[in-house]
Amino acid sequence: MGFYPKVRREERFERGKSYVFVSNHTSMTDIMLMLYVTKNPFVFVGKMELAKIPLFGFFYKRTCILVNRNSPKSRKEVFEQAQHKLNQGLGVCIFPEGGVPDDSQDLLLDTFKDGAFRLAIEHHIAIAPMTFHDNQKRFSYRFTSLKAGPGRMRVKVHKTIPTGILEMDDRRMLREQTRNIILKELQKPTV
C-alpha cells in the first residue's frame, strides 16, 4: 500500500513475556502496524461490528476477542476471555479509547476506558504504550480524508509501565499516566 513504518524504541519487548499493548486508534492500519511492531504473540480485543465485513470478518472473528460495547455482559465476557489468554502466556492489545474518534472532530486523543488497565493490574503485566503518529492521514478509518496515501508511518514505542505493586484502586492513575505519555508524544512538533 506504499506505507513504510519508522519505529523509535525506548525499550525492546522481552521475548516470551506477556504485555498489555495500548496505543491511540485512528485508522484500520493501526492493527497492521501493531502486528509489525510487536513480535510477542498477542490477541486483539476488538469491536464485534467488524466481524460483518466480508472476508476480513472471517479472519477477524477467529483471531480476536470480540466485544459488543453496548452490552455490559459482553464487556464482562471479554474481560474473562482476555484473562484466559493472558494465563496462556499471550499478550493482549486493547485500543483504550474504546473506538476510533470521528474524523470530523479535532480530537487528538479521546479519553481512555479502564479495561486494559484492570487486566494489567490483575495479572501484574506491564502496560506497553505506543504512539502511532501518521495512520489517520495515511488511511483514515472513515475514508473521509482526501489527503490519504502512501508514506511514512511513525511509531514511538515507550518504556513499559510495570504494574506488579499496583492495586485495582490504582487503575485510574495508571490509565491517566498511559494516556499522558501518548498525548505528550502526539503533541510534539512533526519532524
Side-chain angles (χ1 to χ4, degrees):
M1 293 178 67
F3 305 138
Y4 57 95
K6 181 177 180 185
V7 182
R8 290 182 301 130
R9 295 178 187 273
E10 292 181 343
E11 183 175 333
R12 296 223 174 254
F13 303 126
E14 286 181 42
R15 199 175 286 274
K17 185 173 179 180
S18 295
Y19 297 91
V20 176
F21 300 102
V22 298
S23 78
N24 54 312
H25 193 27
T26 58
S27 167
M28 280 198 264
T29 59
D30 297 340
I31 294 166
M32 281 79 84
L33 194 55
M34 184 67 73
L35 290 166
Y36 177 86
V37 173
T38 308
K39 303 305 179 204
N40 297 45
F42 69 93
V43 295
F44 285 100
V45 173
K47 59 185 180 179
M48 192 171 285
E49 302 91 76
L50 294 179
K52 297 176 185 174
I53 298 172
L55 191 58
F56 172 82
F58 175 81
F59 295 103
Y60 179 76
K61 64 185 171 189
R62 284 162 178 74
T63 59
C64 296
I65 299 171
L66 302 181
V67 61
N68 176 350
R69 292 176 296 172
N70 299 322
S71 166
K73 181 182 178 201
S74 175
R75 290 194 307 265
K76 183 179 185 299
E77 288 171 356
V78 164
F79 192 75
E80 291 167 359
Q81 290 176 48
Q83 286 178 318
H84 179 70
K85 296 295 185 187
L86 289 169
N87 289 336
Q88 291 177 330
L90 297 173
V92 174
C93 174
I94 300 176
F95 296 108
E97 292 171 274
V100 178
D102 188 345
D103 288 351
S104 64
Q105 296 175 348
D106 193 22
L107 182 65
L108 197 54
L109 187 65
D110 208 343
T111 56
F112 282 6
K113 309 283 189 274
D114 277 352
F117 310 101
R118 288 177 57 209
L119 274 172
I121 290 171
E122 182 156 320
H123 290 272
H124 306 291
I125 294 173
I127 293 284
M130 294 179 224
T131 303
F132 295 164
H133 283 278
D134 306 302
N135 295 11
Q136 184 174 24
K137 66 183 169 188
R138 295 286 163 247
F139 196 77
S140 169
Y141 189 80
R142 308 230 192 282
F143 310 107
T144 57
S145 175
L146 299 175
K147 299 176 185 177
R152 174 178 68 165
M153 296 177 96
R154 293 170 296 143
V155 179
K156 173 75 177 272
V157 176
H158 304 279
K159 289 184 179 180
T160 58
I161 305 169
T163 63
I165 62 168
L166 299 181
E167 301 288 331
M168 200 53 73
D169 289 342
D170 298 319
R171 72 183 179 278
R172 287 179 184 84
M173 176 274 304
L174 179 62
R175 178 189 70 201
E176 291 311 308
Q177 177 186 3
T178 305
R179 185 180 182 278
N180 288 336
I181 289 168
I182 295 171
L183 182 60
K184 186 176 176 185
E185 180 66 24
L186 286 170
Q187 291 171 332
K188 288 183 179 177
T190 304
V191 182

